[in-house]
């Protein structure tokens, strides 16, 4: 079985030397090239075609994100793992969108690094635990946002402007009589609106309907 061939790309020679030493100490790995920016990595990868490229995300000149895009354009089969000193959300998701196989923090231990490189070579995601947590949080946040947008879209589509006003006041905790006084309508009219709201939103109580929207409390007005 041939060794895992790795290219190390980082603009700090001392840090790069440390990574190279760790990788070359493994019986199943070897560093086939070093580079100090994304463009140099691209040029060397053309002839060497490494199995995995360990790429620093922040480098002067051609940074890791641009280097990843350029390299994958020519070698779509390449496995690129990004290295960073910070768990920066924006760069994390930009790196994944650029095609990176993984995203590792430079605070990880040497044995974790080599295992992540092996995982990347197998086609698995090479992601630090902290980064994985950030990704899960973002997926959850995006899902919750999509749910809220879908609910708001349903409210905007199904309810009349007056019914939306009634629901907003109910969500603030106002009773039917208070809603009637605020909107200058009869109590009967408010109750009729509320019945219509429950029917259109297919919920059983005003409390369920109120939970479908987020409205500021009276103290926030």
């Amino acid at each position: 079985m041939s060794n895992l061939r790795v290219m190390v790309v980082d603009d700090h020679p001392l840090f790069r030397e440390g990574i190279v030493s760790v990788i070359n100490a493994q019986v199943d790995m070897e560093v086939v090239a070093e580079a100090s920016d994304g463009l140099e990595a691209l040029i060397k990868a053309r002839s060497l075609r490494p199995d995995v490229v360990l790429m620093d995300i922040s480098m002067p000149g051609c940074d890791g994100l641009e280097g990843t895009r350029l390299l994958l354009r020519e070698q779509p089969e390449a496995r690129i793992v990004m290295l960073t000193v910070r768990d920066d959300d924006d760069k994390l998701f930009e790196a994944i969108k650029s095609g990176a196989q993984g995203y590792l923090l430079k605070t990880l231990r040497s044995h974790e690094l080599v295992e992540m490189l092996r995982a990347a070579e197998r086609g698995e995601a090479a992601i630090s635990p902290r980064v994985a947590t950030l990704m899960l949080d973002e997926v959850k946040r995006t899902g919750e946002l999509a749910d809220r947008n879908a609910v708001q879209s349903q409210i905007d589509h199904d309810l009349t402007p007056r019914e939306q006003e009634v629901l907003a006041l109910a969500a603030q905790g106002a009773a039917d009589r208070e809603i009637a006084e605020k909107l200058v309508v009869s109590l009967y009219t408010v109750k009729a609106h509320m019945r219509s709201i429950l029917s259109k939103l297919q919920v059983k109580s005003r409390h369920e309907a109120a939970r479908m929207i987020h409205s500021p409390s009276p103290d926030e007005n």
Side-chain angles (χ1 to χ4, degrees):
M1 184 176 179
S2 60
N3 285 351
L4 174 60
R5 303 170 71 254
V6 182
M7 176 188 288
V8 180
V9 187
D10 195 288
D11 62 310
H12 294 94
L14 185 60
F15 179 80
R16 195 170 65 236
E17 288 172 10
I19 294 292
V20 170
S21 296
V22 168
I23 294 173
N24 282 336
Q26 309 305 309
V27 296
D28 60 340
M29 295 183 179
E30 62 175 320
V31 175
V32 296
E34 299 178 44
S36 59
D37 70 6
L39 185 57
E40 185 182 1
L42 173 66
I43 294 170
K44 292 186 175 182
R46 285 171 175 164
S47 59
L48 296 170
R49 305 190 77 84
D51 300 314
V52 176
V53 178
L54 190 58
M55 181 101 68
D56 185 21
I57 199 166
S58 298
M59 296 178 288
C62 182
D63 67 11
L65 293 172
E66 181 62 18
T68 295
R69 287 190 284 265
L70 292 172
L71 206 159
L72 289 176
R73 193 176 301 159
E74 294 190 11
Q75 298 181 35
E77 75 283 358
R79 312 291 192 186
I80 301 179
V81 177
M82 310 301 295
L83 271 176
T84 181
V85 294
R86 298 186 309 168
D87 48 3
D88 188 304
D89 287 13
D90 292 337
K91 287 191 174 181
L92 161 62
F93 293 104
E94 190 175 349
I96 300 302
K97 290 176 182 177
S98 296
Q101 186 75 21
Y103 195 97
L104 304 177
L105 298 178
K106 288 185 176 181
T107 54
L108 84 172
R109 308 299 291 267
S110 58
H111 71 275
E112 295 173 320
L113 171 64
V114 295
E115 285 305 316
M116 289 295 183
L117 293 177
R118 293 187 181 108
E121 196 274 335
R122 294 193 298 266
E124 301 172 9
I127 301 174
S128 298
R130 168 62 181 159
V131 173
T133 299
L134 287 173
M135 293 181 69
L136 288 174
D137 288 345
E138 176 63 14
V139 169
K140 181 179 178 181
R141 187 193 68 78
T142 303
E144 290 174 346
L145 180 60
D147 288 343
R148 288 198 297 271
N149 288 342
V151 169
Q152 188 60 52
S153 178
Q154 179 187 2
I155 290 172
D156 293 342
H157 181 268
D158 292 345
L159 304 188
T160 67
R162 178 60 88 183
E163 288 170 346
Q164 292 180 41
E165 288 182 295
V166 170
L167 180 57
L169 290 169
Q172 293 176 18
D176 286 350
R177 190 172 299 280
E178 293 174 303
I179 296 173
E181 292 175 357
K182 189 171 185 65
L183 298 181
V184 194
V185 295
S186 69
L187 181 60
Y188 174 82
T189 298
V190 172
K191 291 183 179 298
H193 282 316
M194 190 57 67
R195 286 195 298 271
S196 177
I197 290 169
L198 299 184
S199 175
K200 289 178 178 179
L201 297 183
Q202 298 182 341
V203 293
K204 296 179 179 178
S205 70
R206 62 189 293 133
H207 300 293
E208 285 185 66
R211 285 198 300 268
M212 294 180 69
I213 66 171
H214 171 71
S215 296
S217 65
D219 292 339
E220 295 176 322
N221 290 332

